[in-house]
């Protein structure tokens, strides 16, 4: 049995009428106008499928043209994808011939690795940081999940050791996907365009371009050499990922595949954010080694992770301009019809070395006026910069005696406070963006700015009393004095005109890095 992915159901989707099911590649594209979205439960699986479908669309039709795009309510014509039918054998998941996203060089090797290697969120070998714990010998994946796992590697693979290189973007960065009301609208918003002729997907490898990596090569990059083992039926065992009954793949060959080591060709993923050079130079704080925007190490830097929404919001707002960090957002904004808001889902994998700690997605809505009005965008960006400059944690620490700041319970309390405050501020900032885009005068915009800043003060005030009662020494009166001291410092920092764009920074160094020189008597 070959299990051809053009027809077999393996892509989870949600139709506009509420029906959830799996479809093949052909139906996903020809029924895209009736499909609401990709319905994979894991956010990064959605990214991987969308990148794959964009690669198929570009492979079949090339650069988008105004006369080729169908009406938003329709689906893509079936004759657009005749190239798929001419190359059906490239999409066979199993069988003795050519296989989808698999290396024929490994066909005669012993399949010794567990099938769970395809998914970072399934445990394998001695990994312990999982809610689910299984023996490798009991793991099995259905054919649909095997296909999804193979597609996922291009965008989500981490450094695996033993010669296993990470994905085309190194450690998985944050991905930004502009979204429409249907799958077809989403594909049209993100349909890639490039001026490169020698570009081929991994299933149709030709002579690749010499100067740069193209969309097809990059979106279908294979960092692993995989060969699925035999399909077997063992009792009533179910798929370890989706729970489906039937024959399963329990073993596979899983070795190092393609690597960018020594590859000097340029590559720019349109769904990622390019960090400024200055920001990239401070990347050691969040575990970055290049200039792509990534989530911080959530174990070592929980406070940075809690505030990472600011980096995502900043990248989205900056991308509305001509030289923004996320090309896909800039292009999608230009393709929108007049007056339509832009929805962008940010997918954030949190990793450390080869371990994936979490993968989640968060959707933002950017009003059309905010896309067009540079003044409003700069105002919103200035407020994000203001949060960074003030360092809200600084004021909370002011309520804690210096001798208590290193205690474990104090550190735990601060980590909890960071997450609580940032979640509140993220919600309030979304509301702030909505409010300034409907303001009809400059005076009303200034009032909205003042209201946002009052919300920042209230968010800090709401937790200061709790922190003080938990960790500050002394009587309730002493605790109240410590809280008021921190609040006074916060008020002084935020007493500035509503239209100010240059904020006065507050000291950021609450705790000095290990090994740093300290002055006598310094906190």
């Amino acid at each position: 049995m070959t299990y051809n992915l053009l027809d077999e159901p393996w892509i989870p989707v949600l139709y506009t009428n509420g029906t959830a099911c799996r479809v093949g590649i052909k139906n996903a594209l020809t029924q895209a106008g009736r499909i609401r979205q990709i319905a994979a439960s894991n956010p990064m699986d959605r990214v991987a499928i969308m990148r794959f479908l964009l690669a198929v669309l570009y492979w079949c039709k090339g650069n988008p043209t105004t006369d080729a795009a169908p009406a938003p309510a329709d689906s893509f014509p079936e004759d657009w994808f005749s190239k798929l039918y001419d190359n059906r054998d490239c999409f066979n998941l199993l069988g003795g011939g050519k296989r989808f996203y698999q290396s024929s060089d490994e066909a005669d090797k012993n399949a010794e690795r567990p099938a769970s290697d395809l998914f970072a969120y399934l445990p394998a070998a001695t990994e312990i940081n999982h809610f689910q714990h299984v023996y490798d010998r009991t793991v099995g994946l259905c054919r649909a999940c095997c296909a999804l796992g193979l597609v996922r590697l291009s965008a989500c693979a981490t450094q695996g050791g033993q010669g296993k290189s990470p994905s085309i973007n190194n450690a998985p960065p944050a991905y930004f996907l502009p979204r429409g009301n249907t799958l077809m609208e989403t594909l049209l918003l993100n349909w890639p365009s490039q001026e490169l002729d020698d570009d081929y997907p991994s299933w149709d490898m030709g002579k690749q371009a010499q100067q740069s990596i193209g969309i097809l090569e990059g979106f279908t990059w294979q960092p692993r050499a995989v060969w699925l083992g035999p399909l077997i039926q063992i009792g009533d065992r179910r798929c370890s990922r989706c729970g489906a009954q039937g024959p399963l793949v329990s073993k596979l060959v899983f070795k190092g595949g393609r690597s960018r080591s020594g590859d000097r060709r340029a590559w720019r993923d349109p769904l990622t954010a390019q960090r400024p050079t200055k920001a990239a130079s401070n990347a050691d704080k969040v575990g970055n080694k290049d200039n792509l925007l990534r989530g911080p190490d959530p174990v070592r830097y929980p406070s940075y992770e809690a505030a990472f929404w600011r980096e995502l919001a900043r990248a989205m707002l900056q991308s509305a301009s001509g030289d923004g960090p996320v090309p896909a957002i800039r292009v999608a904004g230009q393709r929108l019809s007049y007056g339509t808001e832009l929805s962008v889902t940010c997918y954030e994998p949190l990793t450390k070395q080869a371990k994936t700690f979490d993968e989640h997605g968060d959707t933002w809505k950017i009003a059309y006026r905010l896309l067009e009005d540079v003044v409003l965008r700069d105002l919103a960006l200035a407020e994000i910069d203001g949060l960074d400059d003030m360092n809200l944690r600084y004021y909370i620490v002011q309520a804690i005696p210096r001798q208590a700041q290193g205690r474990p319970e104090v550190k735990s309390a601060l980590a909890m406070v960071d997450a609580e405050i940032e979640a509140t501020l993220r919600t309030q900032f979304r509301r702030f963006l909505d409010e300034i885009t409907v303001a009809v005068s400059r005076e009303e915009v200034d009032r909205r700015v003042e209201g946002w800043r009052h919300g920042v003060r209230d968010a800090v005030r709401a937790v200061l009393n709790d922190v003080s009662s938990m960790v500050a020494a002394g009587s309730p009166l002493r605790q109240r004095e410590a809280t008021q001291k921190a609040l006074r410092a916060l008020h002084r920092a935020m007493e500035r005109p509503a239209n100010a764009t240059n904020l006065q920074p507050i000291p950021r160094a609450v705790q000095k890095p290990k090994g740093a020189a300290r002055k006598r008597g310094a906190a």
Side-chain angles (χ1 to χ4, degrees):
M1 181 179 293
T2 58
Y3 197 85
N4 191 276
L5 300 182
L6 295 184
D7 305 311
E8 297 290 349
W10 65 279
I11 300 175
V13 298
L14 176 67
Y15 280 86
T16 54
N17 63 3
T19 301
C21 63
R22 285 173 169 172
V23 297
I25 298 172
K26 182 183 72 173
N27 286 343
L29 293 170
T30 58
Q31 299 178 14
R34 301 194 293 274
I35 294 175
R36 175 70 180 90
Q37 62 184 23
I38 301 299
S41 58
N42 184 280
M44 292 305 295
D45 292 347
R46 294 173 226 155
V47 172
I49 294 173
M50 283 303 307
R51 284 164 54 94
F52 170 70
L53 292 178
L54 287 169
V56 171
L57 178 60
Y58 186 88
W59 183 57
C60 292
K61 291 297 295 180
N63 289 328
T65 57
T66 54
D67 58 343
D74 300 330
S75 290
F76 296 113
E78 189 167 348
D79 58 8
W80 278 24
F81 307 106
S82 59
K83 198 171 183 178
L84 284 176
Y85 308 126
D86 295 339
N87 296 269
R88 285 186 62 88
D89 60 331
C90 295
F91 298 92
N92 289 332
L93 184 69
L94 301 171
K98 186 183 295 185
R99 288 190 181 186
F100 175 75
Y101 276 13
Q102 296 174 65
S103 173
S104 58
D105 295 339
E106 309 300 330
D108 58 346
K109 306 294 194 305
N110 290 330
E112 298 177 344
R113 292 296 306 170
S116 52
D117 280 351
L118 291 175
F119 293 93
Y121 50 83
L122 292 179
T126 59
E127 295 173 354
I128 61 173
N129 295 321
H130 293 266
F131 289 110
Q132 176 188 10
H133 294 272
V134 296
Y135 289 106
D136 286 346
R137 64 175 180 269
T138 67
V139 172
L141 295 177
C142 67
R143 288 162 292 186
C145 288
C146 286
L148 179 56
L150 291 170
V151 168
R152 177 186 167 91
L153 291 174
S154 177
C156 309
T158 60
Q159 182 75 37
Q162 299 179 353
K164 297 185 180 73
S165 299
S167 69
I168 182 69
N169 295 315
N170 298 313
Y175 288 98
F176 299 79
L177 185 70
R179 293 179 53 183
N181 292 322
T182 64
L183 175 60
M184 196 191 68
E185 289 184 17
T186 301
L187 290 170
L188 288 175
L189 287 175
N190 294 279
W191 191 341
S193 177
Q194 64 179 358
E195 297 179 2
L196 189 65
D197 295 328
D198 298 330
D199 186 23
Y200 302 90
S202 64
W203 62 79
D204 182 30
M205 291 296 288
K207 184 179 179 181
Q208 300 291 2
Q210 299 299 312
Q211 300 300 322
S212 60
I213 297 175
I215 290 294
L216 292 177
E217 183 181 2
F219 275 16
T220 64
W221 186 272
Q222 290 301 291
R224 298 291 182 270
V226 181
W227 190 264
L228 297 179
L231 197 66
I232 56 176
Q233 177 78 58
I234 304 178
D236 58 351
R237 237 169 69 184
R238 294 175 176 266
C239 174
S240 299
R241 180 184 172 275
C242 70
Q245 284 186 312
L248 305 174
V249 174
S250 61
K251 296 291 184 178
L252 46 72
V253 178
F254 196 76
K255 298 182 178 180
R258 299 190 67 183
S259 171
R260 290 202 64 197
S261 177
D263 190 340
R264 302 300 180 185
R265 293 178 298 164
W267 161 245
R268 181 70 178 93
D269 192 320
L271 303 182
T272 61
Q274 197 90 32
R275 295 165 59 91
T277 304
K278 182 178 180 181
S281 66
N282 294 325
D284 59 316
K285 294 181 180 179
V286 293
N288 284 333
K289 298 301 181 183
D290 56 25
N291 60 347
L292 292 182
L293 181 63
R294 288 184 177 83
D297 178 343
V299 176
R300 188 176 182 185
Y301 301 107
S303 60
Y304 281 101
E305 195 280 325
F308 189 63
W309 69 268
R310 307 180 196 174
E311 297 289 345
L312 300 176
R314 180 183 288 114
M316 285 185 290
L317 292 173
Q318 291 175 340
S319 296
S321 62
D323 57 347
V326 187
I329 295 179
R330 180 176 68 251
V331 172
Q334 297 168 352
R335 294 176 179 175
L336 283 175
S337 57
Y338 180 80
T340 305
E341 69 177 6
L342 177 64
S343 294
V344 180
T345 300
C346 307
Y347 297 95
E348 180 193 351
L350 303 177
T351 65
K352 180 181 180 182
Q353 297 174 351
K355 306 299 182 184
T356 298
F357 289 104
D358 193 14
E359 299 172 326
H360 54 79
D362 189 19
T363 299
W364 290 69
K365 294 184 180 297
I366 308 175
Y368 187 82
R369 182 182 175 188
L370 203 58
L371 293 172
E372 295 291 313
D373 194 325
V374 177
V375 175
L376 282 184
R377 282 205 312 273
D378 289 345
L379 183 67
L381 288 168
E383 294 305 310
I384 297 178
D385 293 340
L387 290 179
D388 291 344
D389 289 339
M390 285 188 301
N391 190 1
L392 298 178
R393 191 176 187 180
Y394 170 83
Y395 304 104
I396 299 172
V397 172
Q398 300 309 298
I400 303 173
R402 188 184 67 186
Q403 62 271 21
Q405 292 177 12
R407 298 206 307 259
E409 65 271 22
V410 174
K411 292 182 179 180
S412 298
L414 289 176
M416 177 189 69
V417 166
D418 287 334
E420 183 178 343
I421 288 182
E422 294 297 339
T424 300
L425 293 181
R426 179 173 58 183
T427 301
Q428 292 182 352
F429 187 75
R430 291 174 186 268
R431 188 182 306 123
F432 169 64
L433 291 182
D434 293 337
E435 291 173 347
I436 62 175
T437 53
V438 298
V440 296
S441 65
R442 180 67 201 190
E443 291 74 18
E444 184 177 355
V445 171
D446 290 344
R447 288 197 299 272
R448 299 300 187 185
V449 173
E450 276 304 315
W452 148 255
R453 293 177 182 171
H454 279 295
V456 174
R457 286 192 289 267
D458 291 342
V460 177
R461 184 185 298 112
V463 298
L464 277 177
N465 287 328
D466 292 339
V467 173
S468 298
S469 63
M470 284 189 294
V471 300
S475 64
L477 180 60
R478 295 290 187 187
Q479 295 172 359
R480 181 177 177 81
E481 289 177 351
T483 302
Q484 292 302 317
K485 175 185 174 182
L487 284 174
R488 286 193 296 270
L490 176 65
H491 280 287
R492 286 195 299 271
M494 301 195 71
E495 288 176 353
R496 61 190 191 278
N499 59 1
T501 56
N502 295 319
L503 308 177
Q504 295 298 320
I506 300 299
R508 299 177 66 88
V510 176
Q511 293 181 340
K512 294 182 178 294
K514 291 183 179 180
R518 300 184 61 176
K519 295 182 180 179
R520 186 179 300 275

